[in-house]
Amino acid sequence: MKIIIFPFLATLISCFLSSGVYGYTKSEISSWCSQTPHPESCEYFLVAGNQNSGPVTQKPDFIKALLKITLDRAKHAESNTKGLGTKCRNKLEKAAWEDCIELYDNTVERLNMTVDPRKKCSQYEMQTWLSTALTNLETCRAGFEELGVGGYLLPLMKNNVSALISNTLAMNKGGSPPETYPNGFPSWVKPGDRKLLQSSSPGSQANVVVAQDGSGNYKTVGEAVAAAGKRSGSGRYVIYVKAGSYNENIEIGTKLKNIMLVGDGIGKTIITGSKSVGGAVVGDGFIGRGITFRNTAGPQNHQAVALRSGSDLSVFYQCSFEGYQDTLYVHSDRQFYRECDIYGTVDFIFGNAAVVLQNCNIYARKPPNRTNTVTAQGRTDPNQNTGISIHNCRVTAASDLKGVGGVKTYLGRPWKQYSRTVFMKSNLDSIIDPAGWMPWSGNFALDTLYYGEYLNTGPGSSTANRVKWKGYRVITSSTEAARFTVGNFIAGGSWLPSTNVPFTSGL
């Protein structure tokens, strides 16, 4: 059956699209959308989905309209993805699909945070949460591809949300981090929390105690975390984990905010597992102190994450992360690591957070294939405000690598197109190969990455024979280096003082 549109109806539809009944004219849309990386998606969805967002006369109006339609499409994609569960054919596909559900849920939450009328969202924070939203969708897609499963599911999940987020990132870029919050610390921090990180007796200030011998409130960390989900209010909740080895896969989900996990120190309180991901922290405002996170899968078992973190404004202080390949997954959002130990072989600090590691010890272990890469940063969009900044750290050999010949150790390799990593004022041991950095595959990302070194010391710090890639640079300007400090890169001056963790804001 043919569908006939009468001439007067066609004229009416044309008037609707051009007269501003949707809040702005089609010519306005075309003009603004032409400035984005994906103008076709921009025009299509703004015309089809706008519901009187108001006239677009200024750039903020356009960003507001983009955010509205992006959130709408993300909710639609989340609903569609949830409906695909019955199509999973095996456990691997089911696991990848479940990860996607969690990632879409977090994406919608992050996008909601950019439009919440009850909270003022700065340009800088908007860029952070948009960066996380895009990382989530990339992680969902990659989960199926890297597992080699569910190829038939990916076309069913295909949507334009990533393109819409990328458009918004491009239009919103340029915001500066806030210097301080209005009252000196974020709303989720209580003044009484200030001394928790420095306390010599964390048990006395804890909400609950975990002890294997039964002397606490719970015998497992998982039980204590589950109880935290039932607490009233959203203030800081402190779980003190007494010395012992806890063989658990801990999950601190997105709804569990402001959790603090305190142990008796590195090598004393140990949370260990042998799955591909030993533990995951997603709830915002997480603080970890004095705990070893260990994955015991071993060097031959490929990916063996000791901890995955996607917690915004999170702190890890005097913790240890022990694994081989992919030890520490700094997945997304703003993270800070101070006086921590990280052990691994291949890509053992990886992900797409905006993260600073400061005063940490980074230990390369003996690899099965004679090659180590310290970092693999995963920025997929040039406007994401993400990257790995390693400041005033020490990169050296773990005990099993000392004296072993024939092993090459590199500072990093580009996992994604716009990979961004800097080493600043760090001590690089002789294990670092003179080339410094290693390709991922052929010429992939060598022109678009950003790899920098600034005033490093030690026998492995010479830049005389470093790679000649377009994206690599020896940073000589303190102004350029300052972009990657705690104060500028993760806005640390606005939230770290409240935790009382020691940090250096500048260079």
Side-chain angles (χ1 to χ4, degrees):
M1 181 181 71
K2 290 184 179 180
I3 298 176
I4 300 174
I5 298 180
F6 293 99
F8 79 89
L9 186 57
T11 303
L12 184 61
I13 292 172
S14 176
C15 288
F16 264 97
L17 292 179
S18 61
S19 67
V21 70
Y22 282 103
Y24 37 74
T25 67
K26 191 173 181 180
S27 61
E28 282 180 326
I29 294 172
S30 296
S31 176
W32 284 108
C33 287
S34 66
Q35 302 175 44
T36 68
H38 307 282
E40 300 85 1
S41 296
C42 177
E43 284 197 42
Y44 176 82
F45 285 106
L46 281 179
V47 169
N50 179 52
Q51 296 175 353
N52 297 317
S53 290
V56 178
T57 57
Q58 302 291 331
K59 190 175 181 180
D61 301 328
F62 180 57
I63 292 172
K64 182 179 178 181
L66 277 177
L67 285 170
K68 180 180 179 297
I69 196 64
T70 302
L71 176 59
D72 179 69
R73 297 312 302 169
K75 289 178 177 178
H76 182 270
E78 179 188 29
S79 177
N80 179 58
T81 302
K82 284 180 178 178
L84 297 177
T86 57
K87 299 184 183 296
C88 295
R89 298 179 298 195
N90 53 54
K91 288 183 179 179
L92 278 178
E93 290 182 3
K94 191 81 169 179
W97 171 76
E98 287 173 348
D99 283 345
C100 282
I101 295 299
E102 179 183 325
L103 290 162
Y104 266 103
D105 180 64
N106 186 259
T107 294
V108 169
E109 180 187 34
R110 289 294 185 241
L111 292 173
N112 265 319
M113 290 165 71
T114 68
V115 299
D116 189 341
R118 299 166 298 176
K119 298 177 182 178
K120 185 177 180 181
C121 175
S122 70
Q123 196 175 353
Y124 162 76
E125 287 177 317
M126 187 180 294
Q127 204 73 350
T128 295
W129 295 326
L130 288 168
S131 295
T132 296
L134 188 59
T135 298
N136 287 341
L137 300 188
E138 171 64 21
T139 303
C140 169
R141 181 194 62 76
F144 281 100
E145 291 183 351
E146 291 171 9
L147 285 172
V149 300
Y152 65 96
L153 283 176
L154 286 173
L156 299 176
M157 296 170 65
K158 188 173 178 60
N159 55 65
N160 292 82
V161 181
S162 292
L164 292 170
I165 295 172
S166 185
N167 285 344
T168 316
L169 277 166
M171 296 304 293
N172 182 66
K173 66 181 180 182
S176 299
E179 293 183 7
T180 59
Y181 281 90
N183 61 351
F185 47 91
S187 59
W188 47 261
V189 176
K190 296 180 296 184
D193 294 338
R194 290 175 177 269
K195 297 179 181 179
L196 282 170
L197 277 173
Q198 301 292 341
S199 172
S200 58
S201 56
S204 64
Q205 302 179 56
N207 293 88
V208 295
V209 177
V210 178
Q212 289 176 325
D213 61 8
S215 61
N217 305 93
Y218 302 98
K219 288 187 176 182
T220 70
V221 182
E223 289 174 320
V225 170
K230 300 174 183 177
R231 77 190 194 275
S232 59
S234 58
R236 176 68 59 205
Y237 191 85
V238 183
I239 301 171
Y240 168 42
V241 186
K242 285 188 175 183
S245 185
Y246 299 81
N247 191 352
E248 306 179 51
N249 291 89
I250 306 303
E251 296 279 341
I252 298 178
T254 185
K255 306 300 182 189
L256 282 175
K257 303 184 188 303
N258 310 323
I259 301 296
M260 182 172 181
L261 219 56
V262 185
D264 278 326
I266 290 174
K268 295 179 180 178
T269 297
I270 303 167
I271 298 175
T272 181
S274 58
K275 292 185 178 180
S276 61
V277 178
V281 175
V282 184
D284 291 345
F286 177 83
I287 299 176
R289 171 196 160 185
I291 295 174
T292 291
F293 298 91
R294 178 182 296 161
N295 194 308
T296 57
Q300 304 295 338
N301 290 308
H302 304 292
Q303 188 178 63
V305 176
L307 184 86
R308 171 173 64 89
S309 177
S311 170
D312 195 23
L313 305 179
S314 57
V315 175
F316 293 87
Y317 178 47
Q318 296 179 343
C319 289
S320 183
F321 305 89
E322 301 175 8
Y324 288 89
Q325 180 173 338
D326 299 347
T327 302
L328 178 58
Y329 191 178
V330 288
H331 180 261
S332 57
D333 286 306
R334 292 163 287 185
Q335 306 180 26
F336 180 59
Y337 295 74
R338 173 81 179 200
E339 297 171 34
C340 291
D341 297 338
I342 305 103
Y343 295 81
T345 54
V346 179
D347 307 336
F348 63 96
I349 303 171
F350 75 110
N352 197 26
V355 56
V356 178
L357 289 81
Q358 194 173 78
N359 293 46
C360 293
N361 294 310
I362 299 171
Y363 295 106
R365 294 176 128 169
K366 182 181 177 181
N369 64 353
R370 317 298 290 177
T371 303
N372 286 324
T373 43
V374 176
T375 66
Q377 205 282 327
R379 193 166 65 134
T380 60
D381 188 288
N383 296 308
Q384 288 179 306
N385 58 359
T386 56
I388 296 172
S389 174
I390 296 176
H391 182 211
N392 198 32
C393 293
R394 178 171 170 253
V395 183
T396 189
S399 58
D400 65 345
L401 184 58
K402 288 181 179 178
V404 177
V407 173
K408 292 190 173 187
T409 299
Y410 299 90
L411 297 174
R413 59 178 182 155
W415 182 28
K416 301 295 181 182
Q417 188 76 47
Y418 298 95
S419 185
R420 181 161 65 173
T421 303
V422 295
F423 283 77
M424 308 192 299
K425 290 189 171 182
S426 291
N427 186 280
L428 309 181
D429 207 347
S430 58
I431 62 167
I432 300 301
D433 188 87
W437 306 81
M438 178 183 176
W440 183 272
S441 177
N443 292 323
F444 171 73
L446 303 189
D447 289 349
T448 50
L449 58 76
Y450 181 107
Y451 286 167
E453 297 182 55
Y454 178 73
L455 297 183
N456 295 310
T457 58
S461 66
S462 172
T463 57
N465 296 305
R466 289 297 197 247
V467 294
K468 307 301 180 186
W469 307 337
K470 182 179 177 181
Y472 169 77
R473 76 277 328 272
V474 177
I475 300 173
T476 57
S477 162
S478 60
T479 303
E480 183 176 0
R483 291 169 50 201
F484 302 100
T485 59
V486 165
N488 288 326
F489 200 50
I490 58 172
S494 66
W495 58 281
L496 284 174
S498 63
T499 67
N500 209 30
V501 63
F503 71 95
T504 301
S505 182
L507 292 169

